[in-house]
Amino acid sequence: MIKLSFTIALLLIFTHVNASELIFITHDIEGCSLIDNDGELRGKRNMGRRAFQLELVREMRIIMGHTERDYSVLPFLRGLHKITENEGRYALFNAGRVPEREGKMKWVGPLTRDKITAYQFKHKKTSPILTLDQARKSHVCVAIGGNKDDFVTDNNFVNITRNISYASCFKMLSLKRVDIAIAAESDLPGILNSTDIAPNKIQAVPFTLFEVLGYLAFSNQVPDSEVMLWQSALDQIIQSGRYDELARDYLHTLGQARVD
């Protein structure tokens, strides 16, 4: 661990990297984040993937000497637009690595691996959704612009509501305005915390829609040599065992995060 940190420090010197110029963007952190006594945005313990990623990226920034630790919290599509327009030095997390984004940004990761599923509000008069075909025919809410939005479009869901956040979708679910809402399994604690929905009111469908790897995405203005340093910082955290410690504190279990 010490040897790798020293290597990164030398590379920072010789490549003249000024990491503090990077602007970090994140999204959908309502209910899983807090501002600590030092005024820094942090993840809440046991609140799932996004809390975990806040802490993971924070530790990467410490290794990289990124002393300015503010974040721009934006809707996903706005954050993605800033990356793809390539008008500045931006880093966005969490972003799914899909073919249509290749060449438009650069990747560090994966940060996490997760299962995506659909959730139903428990109603006595409502039959549970048991199959993908039933889900396709139901009224579904997804966060606009991400891989879940792509999934329902590509898989011929017939009645789609697109909302600005996962929390908004689950509020619609609790009000019986939609039949199902789609989210990552490990995002659920933070979503429910932000909406004050009791966990026993939510029922997952008995099948996984798809699995996703989450990345830290950089705009193309960030040179490859610098992106490689950020990847080295992530690798260091994994090799040192710190990654597993963060997973236990923020994800409940290592299995939700494992990227190897």
Side-chain angles (χ1 to χ4, degrees), residues 133-152:
D133 189 56
Q134 288 177 319
R136 285 193 186 100
K137 297 173 183 176
S138 67
H139 187 180
V140 59
C141 185
V142 292
I144 189 170
N147 49 31
K148 301 162 194 67
D149 192 350
D150 294 338
F151 178 86
V152 296

Side-chain angles (χ1 to χ4, degrees), residues 30 33 37 45-46 57 71 88 142 178 186 200 219-220 224 250:
E30 183 181 358
S33 62
N37 293 333
R45 288 176 178 259
N46 300 319
V57 172
Y71 295 92
V142 292
V178 295
S186 62
N200 62 3
S219 58
N220 283 334
D224 291 346
Y250 294 91

